[in-house]
Amino acid sequence: MVAWLRLVRSRRVGAATFFRLIAAHGSAEAALEALPGVARAAGTADYAPCSAETAARELAAGRDAGARPVAYGSADYPAALAEIPDPPPLLWLRGDPALAKRPMVALVGARNASSLGTRMARRLAEGLGTAGFACVSGLARGVDTAAHSASLDSGTVAVLAGGVDVIYPPENAALADRIAARGLLISEQPMGLQPRARHFPRRNRIISGLSRAVVVVEAAARSGSLITAREALDQGREVLAVPGHPFDARASGCNILIRDGAILVRGPEDVIEALGGSPCPLPARPAPARGAAQVRAPAPAIADLQAEILSRLGPSPLAEDQLIRDLAAPAQAVTPALMELELAGRIRRQAGGLLSLVC
């Protein structure tokens, strides 16, 4: 686990790069040994992976907080989350790990939710819990808080943007303690990390990834809840929305989703019907491949290929598959070139296999 955590926390090693390194070198230990050389080939001479001491401190902090690390491919890793592109290589779980295996439905919505919105969130959480679904949300104010509170007895899962031991907003500290005692707190972030704005889209992606469906209860036209809905669509999840009054800005996002094809929700029965009735467990996904090292082109060829990649990428994201088709180059030659550019900080990899240039 120490080597796995070191590789996860190493600089410029995102989820996609992590799994490519494991597949290329066969183990986290071998990938850590190879990483400085890969970085040097990419032009970074002073690269050092995360130290064993840093990883050991994080593991100790997790034990002190009553949390446990769960690696991708292990029996306790959520099967639904393992299905998404570039899933988190490691999660921290605090609470009942059995809930990670339950079928889940996400309930998300406005932080400044109306009374009708919070009432609807509670009704949905209670009805879905009775039907056998656990409720997953983000422990935010408003709709999230109402959904978690109403599903404490039937199963609630809170995904945090910071460390699993850092509660945001602070006023939900008591609710988080109840969830830790009766439900489950989840985070992919290091222990002790204070959440920042850039962490919330990653959290939203986990919320939708854990779920069979995302239900938006109240949301403005530009909100984090709609980001979660878009992630859900990209992940092949159902998206449902509760309609609201056209004059209420908090309902505009939900009305837009329904206009664009989301399923209209009047109560928990609509969600259960959309999911085909009673839940059944999802099959577990196998561990990442531990194959031989990927084929690499000679150094001059890689340099030429990297220049061609940089010339084709821009600030707007481009699908990796499309880039490979545009390059008319074999995937086994493009993959190491992309990995070196990512480690060098020249390109950025986003969810769903999208690549963009770092300007």
Side-chain angles (χ1 to χ4, degrees):
M1 180 58 73
V2 172
W4 192 277
L5 182 58
R6 286 181 63 197
L7 188 58
V8 170
R9 301 298 184 225
S10 291
R11 183 164 48 107
R12 294 176 182 162
V13 176
T17 301
F18 175 92
F19 290 120
R20 290 172 188 263
L21 287 167
I22 292 289
H25 301 286
S27 69
E29 290 83 356
L32 285 167
E33 291 181 9
L35 195 51
V38 175
R40 277 195 303 272
T44 304
D46 59 347
Y47 187 92
C50 173
S51 68
E53 292 77 14
T54 299
R57 284 196 297 270
E58 182 174 346
L59 290 171
R63 287 193 297 270
D64 292 342
R68 56 177 296 195
V70 173
Y72 174 89
S74 69
D76 290 332
Y77 195 93
L81 188 62
E83 292 183 334
I84 72 172
D86 304 333
L90 183 139
L91 298 169
W92 279 105
L93 305 185
R94 183 178 159 212
D96 181 5
L99 279 173
K101 300 179 181 180
R102 290 267 305 276
M104 303 182 203
V105 172
L107 297 179
V108 298
R111 288 172 171 81
N112 62 334
S114 67
S115 295
L116 286 174
T118 55
R119 283 170 55 193
M120 186 62 168
R122 286 193 294 268
R123 181 186 171 201
L124 289 171
E126 291 168 354
L128 291 169
T130 301
F133 292 96
C135 169
V136 58
S137 197
L139 198 66
R141 302 178 180 95
V143 166
D144 292 20
T145 297
H148 286 308
S149 299
S151 56
L152 276 170
D153 292 334
S154 57
T156 196
V157 178
V159 183
L160 307 185
V164 77
D165 57 338
V166 178
I167 305 305
Y168 181 85
E171 62 261 31
N172 274 351
L175 175 59
D177 288 340
R178 293 197 295 273
I179 295 174
R182 302 162 60 186
L184 182 63
L185 300 168
I186 294 180
S187 177
E188 67 172 331
Q189 299 293 353
M191 301 296 300
L193 179 76
Q194 295 289 333
R196 298 289 183 266
R198 66 181 183 274
H199 299 135
F200 287 91
R202 295 290 306 176
R203 178 207 63 176
N204 294 347
R205 181 167 174 266
I206 294 176
I207 290 174
S208 57
L210 287 167
S211 309
R212 296 196 173 186
V214 171
V215 183
V216 185
V217 178
E218 275 187 345
R222 297 172 60 88
S223 67
S225 298
L226 264 63
I227 294 175
T228 309
R230 286 195 294 271
E231 292 284 4
L233 290 172
D234 290 342
Q235 295 164 353
R237 306 316 196 223
E238 293 283 359
V239 174
L240 307 92
V242 176
H245 195 286
F247 290 168
D248 189 346
R250 288 170 298 197
S252 59
C254 293
N255 293 338
I256 290 171
L257 288 173
I258 294 169
R259 180 200 66 189
D260 293 342
I263 298 172
L264 186 148
V265 172
R266 300 162 297 175
E269 299 80 10
D270 290 332
V271 182
I272 296 166
E273 180 182 356
L275 293 176
S278 300
C280 58
L282 288 168
R285 183 176 177 174
R290 301 167 64 92
Q294 295 171 346
V295 176
R296 294 173 63 88
I302 287 183
D304 294 340
L305 185 56
Q306 287 176 340
E308 182 70 11
I309 289 170
L310 293 174
S311 71
R312 289 181 178 272
L313 289 178
S316 298
L318 176 69
E320 182 176 343
D321 291 346
Q322 183 62 53
L323 174 64
I324 293 173
R325 286 194 293 270
D326 292 344
L327 291 168
Q332 60 266 34
V334 177
T335 293
L338 290 173
M339 186 183 302
E340 291 182 4
L341 288 172
E342 187 176 8
L343 288 168
R346 305 291 302 280
I347 65 174
R348 178 181 296 110
R349 187 179 297 277
Q350 303 179 29
L354 300 178
L355 302 169
S356 61
L357 193 66
V358 176
C359 300

